[in-house]
């Protein structure tokens, strides 16, 4: 507990420049005497922290102090810089400035041993603007009005309280509280057709770990795929959901939402999927395939 507080005191001083002992005591909910003991401990560990008496005095770090191994090891510094490099692929100029500042603070160059690119293959200018506006709304607790294309074939306007941005299964989502549904929802960024950050603010709240996209009903689906569909099976399903058969086929057992999305998803496999369970799903997919054929036949 003390080590965590010492770490936080150093970063607080790096951020503020100077603070009084009572200010630090209130910030970290300890006594002033404990703060002075912490300062002695930091000084003993080699951190150049000192206290000045008087009206304009306080506790501060020596000028040009650079974090060293007493706080972060060289490997840990590189991990921090690598994470910022990864986020910079969103074309976030603020992230670029942060990367430059931390590189200078750590007195270390970011080694390019890792490359992560969240963007698609096409132009991402609109997507990046949308991402950064939502990021700002999350940080500043601002309501956002969106025009959203839902999975139930409807395009509707909603007002949400964005709480967290999430990258999952090759797509960005925003975890939010929907003012219309009075519940938490998960909105896919690519389906947000328009958005407007409103002047209205909301109080920050805890984000539930499980946030559904809607009141979707999930059930167990069992599918069979031939060996030549291996690349799609590995892309779309978790290894724990896949069983390889002696003849090379794949049996996939997964909990999936039984709605219009599932029908379209299964149709995307063409002739390479055999629906084993539930039996009624075969008829639904077959009927949809028939309608597609009737609509597009020459």
């Amino acid at each position: 507990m003390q080590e965590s507080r010492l770490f936080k005191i150093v970063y607080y001083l790096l951020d503020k420049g100077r603070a009084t002992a009572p200010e630090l005591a209130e910030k970290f909910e300890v006594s002033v005497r404990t703060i002075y003991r912490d300062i002695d401990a930091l000084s003993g560990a080699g951190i150049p922290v000192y206290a000045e008496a008087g009206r304009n005095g306080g506790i501060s770090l020596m000028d040009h102090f650079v974090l060293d191994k007493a706080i972060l090891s060289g490997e840990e510094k590189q991990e921090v810089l690598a994470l910022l490099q990864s986020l910079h692929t969103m074309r976030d100029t603020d992230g670029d400035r942060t990367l430059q500042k931390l590189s200078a603070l750590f007195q270390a160059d970011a080694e390019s041993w890792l490359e992560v690119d969240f963007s698609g293959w096409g132009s991402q200018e609109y997507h990046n603007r949308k991402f950064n506006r939502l990021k700002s709304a999350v940080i500043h607790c601002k309501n956002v009005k969106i025009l959203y294309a839902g999975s139930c074939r409807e395009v509707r306007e909603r007002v949400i309280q964005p709480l967290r941005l999430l990258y999952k299964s090759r797509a960005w989502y925003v975890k939010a509280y929907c003012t219309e549904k009075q519940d938490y929802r998960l909105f896919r960024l690519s389906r947000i057709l328009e958005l407007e950050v409103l002047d209205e603010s909301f109080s920050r709240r805890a984000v539930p770990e499980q946030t559904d996209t809607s009141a979707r009903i999930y059930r167990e689906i069992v599918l069979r795929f031939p060996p030549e569909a291996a690349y799609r099976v590995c892309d779309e399903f978790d290894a724990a959901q896949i069983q390889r058969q002696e003849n090379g086929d794949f049996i996939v057992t997964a909990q999936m939402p039984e709605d219009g999305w599932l029908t379209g998803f299964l149709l995307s496999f063409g002739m390479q999927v055999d629906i084993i369970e539930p039996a009624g799903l075969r008829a639904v997919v077959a009927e949809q395939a028939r309608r597609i054929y009737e609509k597009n036949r020459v």
Side-chain angles (χ1 to χ4, degrees):
M1 181 66 181
Q2 184 194 24
E3 288 78 7
S4 175
R5 188 173 64 250
L6 295 178
F7 188 90
K8 292 176 181 177
I9 287 174
V10 171
Y11 272 92
Y12 189 80
L13 294 176
L14 281 169
D15 182 46
K16 301 296 182 181
R18 182 184 299 269
T20 65
E23 178 185 347
L24 292 173
E26 180 179 359
K27 171 71 178 176
F28 299 107
E29 299 180 345
V30 295
S31 67
V32 171
R33 180 176 297 180
T34 297
I35 289 296
Y36 280 120
R37 283 201 297 266
D38 289 344
I39 299 306
D40 288 339
L42 287 170
S43 181
I47 305 298
V49 58
Y50 63 96
E52 286 184 315
R55 183 175 180 180
N56 297 320
I59 298 168
S60 59
L61 296 163
M62 289 183 63
D63 291 343
H64 309 301
F65 168 65
V66 175
L67 294 177
D68 60 21
K69 291 182 180 179
I71 300 297
L72 290 176
S73 68
E75 184 177 348
E76 288 169 334
K77 293 175 187 177
Q78 287 298 333
E79 288 178 359
V80 172
L81 295 175
L83 287 170
L84 282 173
Q85 279 182 318
S86 300
L87 291 176
H88 182 50
T89 61
M90 290 302 301
R91 315 299 197 271
D92 185 346
T93 55
D94 290 337
D96 188 38
R97 286 195 293 269
T98 304
L99 179 62
Q100 292 174 352
K101 288 179 181 178
L102 279 181
S103 294
L105 181 65
F106 291 160
Q107 291 187 348
D109 293 327
E111 297 178 3
S112 299
W113 62 271
L114 172 70
E115 182 176 353
V116 179
D117 193 345
F118 293 121
S119 62
W121 293 107
S123 173
Q124 292 293 299
E125 183 178 352
Y126 173 70
H127 178 79
N128 293 334
R129 284 202 310 269
K130 183 164 50 177
F131 179 91
N132 285 318
R133 291 172 69 189
L134 281 169
K135 180 190 74 173
S136 178
V138 171
I139 293 172
H140 299 291
C141 297
K142 292 293 185 180
N143 286 356
V144 176
K145 182 166 66 175
I146 63 173
L147 186 65
Y148 190 73
S151 59
C152 296
R153 304 175 185 175
E154 60 178 4
V155 177
R156 297 184 58 186
E157 191 174 87
R158 298 169 181 254
V159 175
I160 63 172
Q161 298 175 353
L163 304 171
R164 182 180 296 170
L165 288 167
L166 165 71
Y167 187 81
K168 184 178 179 66
S169 188
R170 303 186 300 280
W172 281 103
Y173 297 83
V174 57
K175 285 187 173 184
Y177 184 82
C178 179
T179 58
E180 176 188 340
K181 300 295 184 181
Q182 295 288 292
D183 201 0
Y184 297 94
R185 290 289 187 266
L186 200 61
F187 298 95
R188 184 163 172 156
L189 263 64
S190 61
R191 297 176 186 171
I192 297 177
L193 306 180
E194 299 175 8
L195 73 86
E196 177 187 356
V197 179
L198 306 177
D199 292 332
E200 307 162 3
S201 299
F202 62 88
S203 299
R204 193 177 299 279
R205 64 181 81 203
V207 184
E209 290 304 315
Q210 298 296 326
T211 305
D212 201 357
T213 55
S214 63
R216 303 173 87 175
I217 299 174
Y218 288 74
R219 66 178 300 175
E220 186 172 273
I221 309 294
V222 183
L223 309 168
R224 181 189 296 274
F225 298 91
E228 55 267 30
Y231 73 101
R232 280 290 309 274
V233 172
C234 295
D235 281 349
E236 301 290 352
F237 300 100
D238 186 84
Q241 299 171 324
I242 305 170
Q243 287 186 337
R244 184 111 185 247
Q245 306 300 295
E246 290 184 3
N247 67 351
D249 284 357
F250 298 92
I251 299 295
V252 172
T253 304
Q255 294 289 327
M256 305 184 77
E258 193 174 16
D259 55 18
W261 171 88
L262 178 59
T263 305
F265 174 72
L266 294 176
L267 284 169
S268 73
F269 288 94
M271 298 291 292
Q272 292 185 325
V273 62
D274 182 21
I275 302 168
I276 299 175
E277 295 180 10
L281 183 58
R282 296 175 66 93
V284 173
V285 174
E287 173 61 18
Q288 187 68 14
R290 186 192 66 78
R291 291 182 180 181
I292 293 172
Y293 168 74
E294 292 292 337
K295 183 176 181 179
N296 292 280
R297 68 175 179 172
V298 178

